[in-house]
Amino acid sequence: MKIVDLENQIIKQYRMKIETNSKCYSRTHVHVKQRTICKWKQLNSITSLFTLLHEIGHCENNNSKMRRCEEEFYATQWALDKCKELKINVPNKIVEKYQRYVYRELERGLRRKGYGYPSKEEMTLKKGI
């Protein structure tokens, strides 16, 4: 099965809308309540698939009480778990990129004198395969 076919199947399964030419923001993002992913470019690649799964992970995991680092961590971990379930090996460079992002958001919150943040260990991604 081609990755593009898998992406289309996942989009349908999770009832997502794709808006490639949206006027909002400049990067890929999701509108959770509308289940709309904006600026995502569909390609036949694991990177494209993982980005899609990460954005869907926001819809499947977020709640209004989460901090940004938690939102990013849980969306990414959900995507990793889904890849494991699909028997797709996510390259380490992709995991490391998202891990740096999670840590950056955690550090940003702490720098701003936030309290009650999870530890760095709790925000460490666990790769499935």
Side-chain angles (χ1 to χ4, degrees):
M1 174 186 268
K2 284 188 195 174
I3 291 177
V4 171
D5 294 336
L6 180 58
E7 290 169 341
N8 289 332
Q9 183 182 328
I10 290 167
I11 289 166
K12 188 175 179 180
Q13 178 183 352
Y14 288 95
R15 303 174 330 278
M16 300 304 296
K17 290 177 258 164
I18 306 299
E19 187 64 54
T20 53
N21 297 318
S22 71
K23 302 289 183 232
C24 54
Y25 305 112
S26 61
R27 59 182 165 73
T28 303
H29 61 280
V30 67
H31 298 274
V32 174
K33 288 180 180 161
Q34 295 84 7
R35 298 187 74 81
T36 302
I37 299 173
C38 298
K39 307 284 185 181
W40 174 69
K41 186 175 181 187
Q42 185 173 34
L43 300 169
N44 193 43
S45 72
I46 291 177
T47 301
S48 172
L49 173 63
F50 193 79
T51 301
L52 173 67
L53 289 171
H54 171 83
E55 297 305 335
I56 294 171
H58 281 296
C59 294
E60 297 298 304
N61 288 289
N62 284 7
N63 71 51
S64 60
K65 304 230 186 303
M66 281 186 183
R67 293 182 162 97
R68 180 66 179 261
C69 64
E70 293 170 313
E71 290 176 0
E72 296 305 330
F73 171 79
Y74 288 111
T76 306
Q77 189 60 59
W78 186 88
L80 286 169
D81 294 343
K82 189 56 69 176
C83 284
K84 180 181 180 182
E85 182 182 308
L86 296 168
K87 296 181 179 15
I88 293 171
N89 185 24
V90 180
N92 287 334
K93 69 179 187 175
I94 293 175
V95 179
E96 290 163 3
K97 174 186 162 194
Y98 280 88
Q99 185 66 76
R100 284 191 304 272
Y101 184 41
V102 169
Y103 286 161
R104 252 193 333 270
E105 291 301 327
L106 174 59
E107 290 160 5
R108 181 173 175 237
L110 293 171
R111 255 194 333 271
R112 293 177 172 193
K113 308 290 188 235
Y115 62 93
Y117 273 82
S119 69
K120 202 169 187 177
E121 292 74 34
E122 291 172 294
M123 293 283 100
T124 300
L125 298 166
K126 291 141 195 84
K127 188 175 171 188
I129 294 177

